[in-house]
Amino acid sequence: MGKAGKMASRGEIESHLSALLAVDSFKDYGPNGLQVEGRPEVRRLVSGVTASLALIEAALAERADAILVHHGLFWRGQDGRITGWMRRRLAPLLAHGINLFAYHLPLDAHAELGNNAQLGRRLGLAADGRFGEQDLGFIGPAAGVADAAALAALAGRSLGRAPVLLAGDGRALRRVAWCTGGAQGYFEAAIAAGADAFITGEISEPQAHVARETGVAFLACGHHATERYGAPALGEHLAARFGLEHRFIDIDNPA
Ligand SMILES: [Zn+2]
């Protein structure tokens, strides 16, 4: 944790984030905003990628008043029972009055603090356009990266994890598109938007064939590895805005 800070109310934080991330303009797979209500005042904030038990326990050890994540606890399609792993995640939050804030697609999309913007910055890529459903995909010039092999090497160095690479036809790169996490379904939209290579977290079986048949490179750089940068950027923003103590806790995930 950083230096001792001021505090903000839970409601102030939620309404600030709601406006900043334009939460109401997204159709999402789960609720964005305050997912678990804790104590009314926040001084110490922990950010992380996923509201896993390991992150919750680490936040408890930090005596956090609030946790800020990209992947929250509640998703469409869950059966809604508070049993097993869900009970074990929720119990310490409720017992200790820890607030859980979660922002999924709104955090992917934010032009400065979001996962896509922060991944681009890490790779030295700047977007001059958007593509795909809800305009979540980023696309921009290849910025001196010669080809798919060079892009894979850059991503491996920058993210600390070797990507799965389908090199396409090995063409010189002019335009690179990216969308963090499980955005393999955006590959065709990236191709239509003029990308020579597409970076995301995960690959599924069909993308390998599409890469071979279209010549456009596909790089799967890790779901966690590509989505590790938005939550800490947003946490730092809140710390500066409200004078909170903030610490990002990275729970390693090979997926
Ligand atoms: Zn994700």
Side-chain angles (χ1 to χ4, degrees):
M1 287 279 174
K3 54 214 170 294
K6 307 194 194 90
M7 55 151 224
S9 77
R10 178 218 299 135
E12 253 180 313
I13 293 174
E14 190 181 24
S15 51
H16 176 73
L17 289 178
S18 192
L20 177 74
L21 301 176
V23 160
D24 291 342
S25 61
F26 291 88
K27 283 195 300 277
D28 212 331
Y29 307 96
N32 288 297
L34 184 66
Q35 289 198 345
V36 179
E37 184 180 304
R39 58 185 66 116
E41 287 167 359
V42 175
R43 288 186 173 79
R44 298 160 83 92
L45 174 70
V46 158
S47 63
V49 177
T50 298
S52 62
L53 181 59
L55 180 70
I56 291 166
E57 287 177 341
L60 190 56
E62 292 284 341
R63 296 185 294 116
D65 304 305
I67 304 176
L68 172 71
V69 293
H70 177 52
H71 301 134
L73 282 181
F74 306 113
W75 302 97
R76 204 162 64 201
Q78 284 171 333
D79 72 7
R81 282 179 285 195
I82 312 299
T83 55
W85 62 269
M86 180 62 89
R87 188 197 73 82
R88 287 191 291 276
R89 290 188 191 183
L90 261 178
L93 296 176
L94 295 174
H96 298 274
I98 302 171
N99 296 284
L100 176 68
F101 293 97
Y103 297 90
H104 184 236
L105 300 183
L107 182 56
D108 286 322
H110 190 269
E112 233 178 278
L113 302 170
N115 283 319
N116 283 330
Q118 293 290 322
L119 177 67
R121 174 188 278 202
R122 189 127 194 130
L123 298 176
L125 300 170
D128 58 14
R130 300 282 189 103
F131 71 94
E133 212 205 313
Q134 303 193 64
D135 272 343
L136 288 176
F138 281 40
I139 185 165
V145 183
D147 56 18
L151 187 59
L154 169 66
R157 274 198 313 279
S158 308
L159 306 181
R161 178 192 194 279
V164 174
L165 169 65
L166 273 297
D169 55 17
R171 66 181 68 172
L173 301 184
R174 291 173 307 107
R175 306 276 294 161
V176 176
W178 66 98
C179 194
T180 62
Q184 58 269 58
Y186 279 60
F187 189 29
E188 284 169 72
I191 296 167
D196 300 303
F198 178 59
I199 296 171
T200 186
E202 301 184 24
I203 184 165
S204 298
E205 195 270 357
Q207 285 91 46
H209 302 290
V210 174
R212 288 173 185 149
E213 292 166 24
T214 61
V216 176
F218 186 100
L219 291 86
C221 297
H223 191 134
H224 177 84
T226 56
E227 297 203 318
R228 218 166 24 190
Y229 306 108
L234 190 59
E236 280 305 299
H237 166 85
L238 287 179
R241 176 76 167 68
F242 293 108
L244 309 178
E245 297 179 50
H246 165 245
R247 189 178 158 201
F248 172 68
I249 298 179
D250 193 22
I251 306 293
D252 185 49
N253 187 335

